[in-house]
């Protein structure tokens, strides 16, 4: 009953043609970085795990819900310099509860009720502890929400969706919302990164998401990467 090592996959002409035209996302690149074989089965063959039916609210579902709330909340604030008055906690409550009612019903109880309270508490912390101090320090203007951008770089096609794009003074800033409290899986350890050692990359590169966002946004808008 030994576990057999998976066999390597030879690149056929058909596969090479597919890879040449495929629009790579940050998730697909992270998958390839961890395991090229998993990338092959998931993105080239299109295989998916069977989804189990569950009554619990999954972490991915919570992340999607938080993205929707923040999109609704900032949706009427695009195209002007933000002020502290724009960061209304009452408006945040109303936005969250309206979205929650549409997703989970008007009278949440048990786990759903506790989840709503928890999300509300964390989002208020985000507004008070991060958002308001930022706009006090530098003039900030939101210029895009949930924006889809595609670009071709070095003959590879890429497609990304940016949660939020804003101007802070002379700089363009891309924000990607995360519900995890642990930043370690999202970072790159540049002190240990050796570009010549491809095998070691998965250990020191948590994700290529933000570098790819910077690269594709600068390519699509003809902006210098150092200004993003």
């Amino acid at each position: 009953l030994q576990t057999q090592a998976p066999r390597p996959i030879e690149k056929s002409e058909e596969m090479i043609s597919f890879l040449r035209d495929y629009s790579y996302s940050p998730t697909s690149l992270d998958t390839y970085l961890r395991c090229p074989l998993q990338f092959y089965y998931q993105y080239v063959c299109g295989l998916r795990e069977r989804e189990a039916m569950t009554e619990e609210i999954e972490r991915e579902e919570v992340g999607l819900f938080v993205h929707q709330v923040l999109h609704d909340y900032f949706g009427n604030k695009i195209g002007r310099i933000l002020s502290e008055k724009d960061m209304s906690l009452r408006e945040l409550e109303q936005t969250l509860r309206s979205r929650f009612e549409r997703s989970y019903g008007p009278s949440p109880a048990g786990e759903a009720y506790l989840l709503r309270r928890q999300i509300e508490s964390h989002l208020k912390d985000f507004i008070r502890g991060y958002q308001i101090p930022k706009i006090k320090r530098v003039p900030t203007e939101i210029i895009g929400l949930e924006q889809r951008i595609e670009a071709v770089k070095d003959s590879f096609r890429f497609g990304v969706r940016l949660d939020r794009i804003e101007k802070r003074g002379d700089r363009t800033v891309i924000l990607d919302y995360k519900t995890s409290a642990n930043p370690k899986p999202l970072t790159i350890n540049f002190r240990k990164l050796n570009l010549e050692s491809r095998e070691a990359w998965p250990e020191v590169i948590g994700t290529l998401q933000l570098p790819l966002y910077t690269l594709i946004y600068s390519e699509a808008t003809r902006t210098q990467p150092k200004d993003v």
Side-chain angles (χ1 to χ4, degrees), residues 145-164:
L145 294 173
E146 297 289 342
Q147 190 168 333
R148 173 78 180 177
I149 295 180
E150 295 187 350
V152 176
K153 177 71 174 176
D154 298 333
S155 79
F156 288 95
R157 189 184 307 277
F158 297 95
V160 298
R161 183 178 297 278
L162 309 180
D163 291 344
R164 187 162 127 208

Side-chain angles (χ1 to χ4, degrees), residues 2-20:
Q2 291 180 341
T3 301
Q4 300 293 323
R7 64 183 178 85
I9 304 296
E10 297 291 335
K11 284 190 175 75
S12 64
E13 288 298 325
E14 183 181 14
M15 193 191 309
I16 292 173
S17 177
F18 171 86
L19 295 173
R20 186 179 293 118

Side-chain angles (χ1 to χ4, degrees), residues 9-12 14-19 22 24 28 32 36-48:
I9 304 296
E10 297 291 335
K11 284 190 175 75
S12 64
E14 183 181 14
M15 193 191 309
I16 292 173
S17 177
F18 171 86
L19 295 173
Y22 184 72
Y24 294 89
S28 66
Y32 185 83
L37 201 57
Q38 182 182 350
F39 172 91
Y40 167 74
Y41 285 120
Q42 183 171 343
Y43 293 97
V44 179
C45 295
L47 300 182
R48 295 286 184 271

Side-chain angles (χ1 to χ4, degrees), residues 20-73:
R20 186 179 293 118
D21 295 333
Y22 184 72
S23 180
Y24 294 89
S25 68
T27 304
S28 66
L29 288 183
D30 285 346
T31 301
Y32 185 83
L33 186 67
R34 288 192 308 270
C35 178
L37 201 57
Q38 182 182 350
F39 172 91
Y40 167 74
Y41 285 120
Q42 183 171 343
Y43 293 97
V44 179
C45 295
L47 300 182
R48 295 286 184 271
E49 293 184 40
R50 174 178 291 181
E51 296 182 2
M53 296 298 291
T54 175
E55 295 295 326
E56 297 180 1
I57 301 173
E58 301 292 343
R59 183 170 57 181
E60 291 80 6
E61 188 179 346
V62 172
L64 176 60
F65 176 77
V66 169
H67 278 68
Q68 292 170 338
V69 171
L70 290 172
H71 178 271
D72 293 347
Y73 179 71

